[in-house]
Amino acid sequence: MTTVQARPTPDDRRWKALGVCLTAGFISLLDTSIVNVALPSMERGLGASEAAQSWVVSGYALTFGLALVPAGRLGDMRGRRQAFLVGLALFTVASAACGLAPGASWLVLFRLIQGTAAGMVAPQTSGLIQQMFQGAERAKAFGLLGSVIGVSTAVGPLAGGLLIDAVGTDDGWRWVFFVNLPIGVAAFTAGLRLLPRFPGSGEKREDFDLFGVLLLGSAVLALMLPLVQEQQWTGREKWALLPVAALLLAAFWAWERRQGQQGRAPLVDLNLFSLRSFTLGALISLTYFAGFTTVFFVYTLFLQNTVGYSALAAGLSVLPFAAASAVGAAAGGRLVVRFGRKLVVIGLVGVALGLLGVVVAVELVPGRGVGWATALPMLVGGIGSGLTVSPNTTLTLTRVPVHRAGAAGGVLQTGQRVGSAAGIAVVGAVYFAHLANHGHSTTAIQLGLLTAVGIIMIALVLAVADLRERQVRPEPEKSGTAVRWNAEEGGAGETVRRGA
C-alpha cells in the first residue's frame, strides 16, 4: 500500500516562513550580546586594544541602528522578501569574515558590515508578520518574535561562555562568529523556498528619500555615538553631539513633512505618529529597552569581576531570565488580544519587582552563592519581560497600514537600539562611578539595578497613561485597517478591513 504524503497547506507555509524570519532575527540579535563575554578572548588571541574591543561591541549596535529605517522603507517599496534575503546573506558572509579576521582593525570593519546587515533583516521580519497574519494569529506571531528578542538578548552571554569554554580562550572568540554560518545558510536556503513573494508598494513613481536617509542617519549617529562610547570617550565634549542630534531630527521632521505636503513618498510617514498606539508604544519600547538590557551588562560584569564567576557561570546565572522571558512572550502573544495594554502594565510591574528582588538577594547572599539567590527574582523579571515585549510590539504596530509596516518596524526597533545604548550609558555611569569613588561593588550593582528600575518605571507610567486614556476614549479608526477595541478592557481586538 502506497502512502501519500499530504502537501503542506498555505497555513503551514506561513508558519514555516515565520520560523525562517525568527531564526534570522535570533542570530542577528544574539550578536548584540554574545561578544561581551568574548572580549578577553579577543584581547588574548588577537591582541585587540580596549578601543578595538569597544568598537567590536558598539560599532555593531551603531550600524544596526543606522540601517533599520532605510532598510524598512526599502522593503516596503521593493519587496520584503528580497530585502530580507540580501540582508541575511550579507550577515552570514560578514560573520565568516569576522571569524577569519587577521587583525583587530579588520574585525571592527567586518562588525560594522555585520551590524548593517542585521539592520536590513530586522524590519523585514515585523513587516512580513503583518503581511502574512491578521488578528489573533498576528498577535501569536508577534508573541513568538517577542520570545526571540528576549531569549536572544539574554542567552548571548551563556552561548559565548559555552563556546569559549569548549574551544579555549585563544580562538574561542572566532567561534562566536562562526556559529552563525550553518544557521545563516540554512535560514537563507529555507527562505528562498518558503518566504512569500509579496510585491512592494506598487507605486511606480515612488522614489527613495535619499536626503531623508542622510538626515535621519546623521541624527541617529550623533545621538548614539556619545552613548555607545560613553566609557571610552572621556570628558564632557562628547555630549555636545546631543543638541546636534536634536537639530538634525528637527530638520528631518521638517523635510519629511514637506515631502508629504508635496505628494512625495517620505522615508517615514509622519501620520504614523498621529496614532496614539504607535507613538506611546514606541516610547514604551524605547524606555523599557533602556532599562532591561542594562541588567545583562552590569550584572554579568559584577559576577565576573567581583564574585569571580567564569564567563560560562555568569551566563548561566541569567538563564532563568531568558527561559522565563520565552515563556512569558509566548503567553503574551496569546493573551494580548484579550487584555491589551493591561498585559504590558502587568509585565512591567513584574520586571521591576524581579530586579528589586535581585537587589535584595545581592545584599542577603554575598559571595559565590549569589547566582542561586537571584534565580527566582530573575525568573519573575523574565516572565514580566516576556509579557512586555511581545504585547507591546503587537499593540504598537497593529494599526499601521501594511504598506508602511517595514518603515514603522524600523522606527520601533531604532528606538530599541537607541534606548539600549542610552540605558547602558546611564546605568554603566552609575555603576562605574560608585566603583571608582568607593570601591564597594555590592553597593555599585545595587545602585545600577535601582537606576534600571527607575527607567522601567517611566515605561510603566507611559503604559498606565495609555491604558487609562484608551478606556476613556478609544482611538479613532484610521483608513485602510481598523481594530475593534474593547473600551472596558483595553483589548487589542481583531484586525479587520474597513467595511467588513
Side-chain angles (χ1 to χ4, degrees), residues 115-487:
T116 303
M120 292 177 64
V121 170
Q124 316 312 329
T125 298
S126 58
L128 284 165
I129 286 174
Q130 286 185 265
Q131 280 189 304
M132 292 189 296
F133 300 99
Q134 294 289 329
E137 284 190 332
R138 180 183 290 178
K140 180 181 178 182
F142 275 126
L144 294 173
L145 178 61
S147 298
V148 166
I149 292 172
V151 171
S152 59
T153 304
V155 84
L158 172 61
L162 285 170
L163 287 168
I164 292 169
D165 188 63
V167 180
T169 55
D170 287 347
D171 292 318
W173 68 269
R174 296 186 184 274
W175 287 92
V176 164
F177 301 110
F178 287 151
V179 74
N180 293 330
L181 302 186
I183 303 173
V185 170
F188 182 84
T189 304
L192 284 173
R193 181 170 56 90
L194 293 171
L195 290 178
R197 297 179 180 273
F198 289 119
S201 61
E203 299 177 38
K204 295 182 179 179
R205 295 184 180 180
E206 188 172 323
D207 297 321
F208 193 62
D209 183 10
L210 265 181
F211 188 66
V213 170
L214 291 174
L215 281 175
L216 182 61
S218 301
V220 173
L221 184 64
L223 181 60
M224 289 189 69
L225 263 179
L227 297 173
V228 298
Q229 291 295 105
E230 197 275 334
Q231 294 297 318
Q232 286 69 38
W233 290 359
T234 57
R236 299 179 179 178
E237 294 81 4
K238 59 179 175 284
W239 302 117
L241 285 172
L242 295 184
V244 173
L247 290 173
L248 288 168
L249 283 172
F252 171 74
W253 188 277
W255 171 259
E256 294 298 285
R257 185 176 180 182
R258 180 172 177 269
Q259 287 284 95
Q261 289 173 344
Q262 294 184 350
R264 299 173 183 171
L267 179 66
V268 176
D269 186 353
L270 298 183
N271 289 326
L272 290 173
F273 295 98
S274 67
L275 294 168
R276 186 183 67 243
S277 55
F278 180 81
T279 303
L280 280 175
L283 288 173
I284 291 168
S285 183
L286 186 152
T287 50
Y288 177 66
F289 271 75
F292 105 98
T293 54
T294 62
V295 174
F296 309 111
F297 174 64
V298 294
Y299 184 61
T300 54
L301 276 178
F302 167 75
L303 291 176
Q304 293 180 82
N305 296 342
T306 301
V307 184
Y309 277 26
S310 66
L312 176 58
L316 285 170
S317 296
V318 297
L319 185 60
F321 191 102
S325 178
V327 174
R334 294 192 300 270
L335 296 174
V336 65
V337 173
R338 180 178 178 185
F339 295 106
R341 189 64 75 192
K342 284 182 181 178
L343 208 57
V344 178
V345 171
I346 293 170
L348 289 168
V349 170
V351 176
L353 290 176
L355 295 187
L356 290 174
V358 174
V359 171
V360 174
V362 169
E363 178 69 29
L364 296 179
V365 188
R368 298 186 67 85
V370 68
W372 291 105
T374 58
L376 180 58
M378 280 283 184
L379 198 71
V380 173
I383 292 174
S385 183
L387 293 177
T388 299
V389 176
S390 63
N392 185 64
T393 302
T394 303
L395 295 168
T396 303
L397 296 177
T398 192
R399 290 179 179 270
V400 173
V402 171
H403 70 282
R404 298 293 184 191
V411 170
L412 180 65
Q413 292 178 71
T414 299
Q416 293 172 0
R417 303 278 73 79
V418 171
S420 297
I424 287 173
V426 172
V427 175
V430 172
Y431 177 75
F432 289 117
H434 192 85
L435 280 181
N437 295 330
H438 303 282
H440 197 278
S441 298
T442 299
T443 305
I445 186 63
Q446 289 174 323
L447 290 174
L449 292 175
L450 287 172
T451 304
V453 170
I455 297 171
I456 289 169
M457 294 304 292
I458 297 174
L460 178 60
V461 169
L462 291 169
V464 171
D466 184 41
L467 176 61
R468 292 184 63 182
E469 179 71 12
R470 195 184 303 279
Q471 289 175 334
V472 173
R473 183 167 53 88
E475 191 168 22
E477 294 181 352
K478 301 293 179 182
S479 61
T481 60
V483 179
R484 296 191 185 106
W485 289 90
N486 184 326

Side-chain angles (χ1 to χ4, degrees), residues 55-56 58-64 94 98 105-118:
W55 272 99
V56 166
S58 61
Y60 183 87
L62 190 63
T63 52
F64 195 145
C98 286
S105 298
W106 285 105
L107 177 58
V108 170
L109 174 62
F110 295 141
R111 277 287 280 178
L112 294 174
I113 297 172
Q114 190 191 34
T116 303

Side-chain angles (χ1 to χ4, degrees), residues 39 41-53 56 103-104 107:
L39 295 178
S41 175
M42 291 176 193
E43 183 179 9
R44 179 173 177 175
L46 198 63
S49 64
E50 287 188 6
Q53 293 175 52
V56 166
L107 177 58

